[in-house]
Amino acid sequence: MSIVIVRQDAAIDAWKEALTSYRKDLPVYSFLEPHPKDAITMALVWKHPVGSLEAYPNLKCIASSGAGVDFIWDDPITKNEVQITRVIDPMLANDMSEFVTGLIYNHLKGFNFYRNKQKEQLWQRISSKRISDVSVGILGLGQLGLHLGNSLMKQGFKVIGWSNSEKNLEGIESFVGTKELPLFLNKSSILVCLLPLTRTTKGILNTKLLLQLPKGAYLINVARGGHLVDADLIEALDNDHLSGAALDVFHKEPLPNDHPFWKHAKIQITPHIASVSDPKSVVPQIVDNYLRLQNKQPMTNVVSVKKGY
Ligand code: OXD
């Protein structure tokens, strides 16, 4: 039994190093080096080349090295009896909360506006918003959404949340299912998308949804580019229904040079950096699952193929 790391970015060596320093005897290979294909039972992946996992006839687990697994569904191998796991990591959740909180304060206090005025040496004041002026709606109350909600609540924000299944949360008014979505949207002056990308959530951030937000609402998408209908966002910003948007994720990454988001005055772009798995923090759960697999015990953080997350 062995692990292969399959990803197309420069982080491949850091993941191998983190795994082997955590456990010296671990048989782990980069897919770029010669390795015994028949021995591979676990593939640790991030945006691996589609079809590349078909090389491993004895694969039992595809472990995403991030919180999301949406990129795995494109792979033909998911139709076989292979279990899929994802990362649930406090550091990842904390990084996400800090990042989104930064974006929210940036929006409330208009820091981008002043940065732009500084370039023109213009002393110009705008009114800023207070925490008590807004209500933050979190679309998706999974581990990341809940962490964010609790952290914002501690800072005095009014937080509401929407999810597919019922949640009983102290201090967070929560809304469930399609029926309650309009009510939730009506009350969200800042909307944060933290949904998993699935067949049902693809394109959810569209004109119909955006128009149900209060006029002047602000959108933060730190989930996946596939949630957003790009043209619908531009329309909602240009007709002043939305006051702005912060986007960390895009349909195509890196965002193509000619994409209209780059130059849009009301859009703040960051390069999919909101929360990035830290190999040292994540490796213990990967190794634990590898050992569970080896000992024929149930693994943790297994994704439901039916639900898609
Ligand atoms: C993740 C991500 O899913 O970085 O972990 O987007």
Side-chain angles (χ1 to χ4, degrees):
M1 295 184 80
S2 308
I3 304 177
V4 65
I5 308 171
V6 192
R7 52 191 300 144
Q8 302 179 77
D9 61 9
I12 199 156
D13 293 335
W15 279 95
K16 187 172 174 193
E17 161 69 21
L19 280 160
T20 45
S21 9
Y22 183 70
R23 217 179 138 122
K24 300 262 170 309
D25 59 345
L26 207 63
V28 47
Y29 303 92
S30 151
F31 81 118
L32 298 172
E33 65 185 319
H35 58 286
K37 305 255 186 335
D38 285 359
I40 300 297
T41 45
M42 177 186 263
L44 177 60
V45 298
W46 185 253
K47 298 189 179 166
H48 58 287
V50 173
S52 56
L53 302 181
E54 285 181 299
Y56 306 108
N58 297 314
L59 193 66
K60 302 269 178 313
C61 168
I62 304 175
S64 166
S65 59
V69 290
D70 45 289
F71 63 95
I72 296 177
W73 304 127
D74 297 335
D75 206 294
I77 205 153
T78 57
K79 291 174 188 69
N80 301 339
E81 289 296 292
V82 177
Q83 291 193 77
I84 295 164
T85 62
R86 71 189 198 96
V87 163
I88 296 190
D89 177 46
M91 196 176 274
L92 207 57
N94 199 57
D95 286 350
M96 181 58 88
S97 292
E98 289 183 4
F99 194 87
V100 173
T101 305
L103 291 173
I104 291 176
Y105 282 113
N106 188 21
H107 164 60
L108 294 184
K109 304 301 171 192
F111 294 135
N112 280 352
F113 175 84
Y114 296 119
R115 182 77 190 116
N116 288 332
K117 293 299 146 195
Q118 184 182 340
K119 284 186 203 143
E120 301 166 52
Q121 291 187 237
L122 274 178
W123 185 272
Q124 195 176 329
R125 290 172 164 181
I126 48 168
S127 58
S128 57
K129 289 195 177 70
R130 301 194 173 92
I131 289 177
S132 55
D133 292 333
V134 294
S135 152
V136 182
I138 303 176
L139 201 50
L141 290 173
Q143 194 232 0
L144 300 179
L146 279 180
H147 191 287
L148 172 67
N150 287 322
S151 154
L152 289 174
M153 245 173 17
K154 284 189 199 132
Q155 296 167 63
F157 282 93
K158 176 170 170 37
V159 180
I160 60 176
W162 180 88
S163 57
N164 228 342
S165 54
E166 182 110 34
K167 302 262 153 58
N168 230 332
L169 308 168
E170 222 184 288
I172 302 180
E173 190 185 355
S174 51
F175 299 80
V176 194
T178 335
K179 218 169 129 217
E180 295 186 11
L181 186 58
L183 196 56
F184 161 79
L185 294 169
N186 274 209
K187 293 183 174 196
S188 302
S189 48
I190 297 177
L191 182 72
V192 184
C193 179
L194 269 171
L195 288 168
L197 183 63
T198 65
R199 276 187 300 275
T200 35
T201 64
K202 188 165 179 242
I204 190 171
L205 303 173
N206 55 27
T207 298
K208 184 169 171 244
L209 178 143
L210 297 175
L211 287 181
Q212 293 176 73
L213 294 168
K215 192 167 166 55
Y218 190 78
L219 172 72
I220 297 178
N221 187 17
V222 279
R224 286 290 181 263
H227 288 118
L228 181 66
V229 179
D230 294 1
D232 290 6
L233 173 64
I234 292 182
E235 195 185 340
L237 291 167
D238 288 349
N239 66 23
D240 285 335
H241 183 69
L242 294 187
S243 58
L247 308 175
D248 185 54
V249 286
F250 304 91
H251 284 270
K252 190 160 189 278
E253 296 177 2
L255 184 64
N257 278 340
D258 59 352
H259 197 289
F261 284 170
W262 279 116
K263 295 205 170 132
H264 201 290
K266 292 183 178 172
I267 295 178
Q268 152 106 55
I269 286 172
T270 48
H272 199 150
I273 196 70
S275 70
V276 176
S277 287
D278 176 344
K280 280 203 189 75
S281 174
V282 167
V283 148
Q285 64 183 271
I286 304 293
V287 173
D288 179 58
N289 264 345
Y290 173 73
L291 297 175
R292 283 166 180 266
L293 196 63
Q294 203 165 32
N295 298 322
K296 298 195 170 34
Q297 287 167 351
M299 290 189 292
T300 57
N301 306 336
V302 175
V303 167
S304 153
V305 177
K306 194 161 159 238
K307 289 203 278 186
Y309 61 93

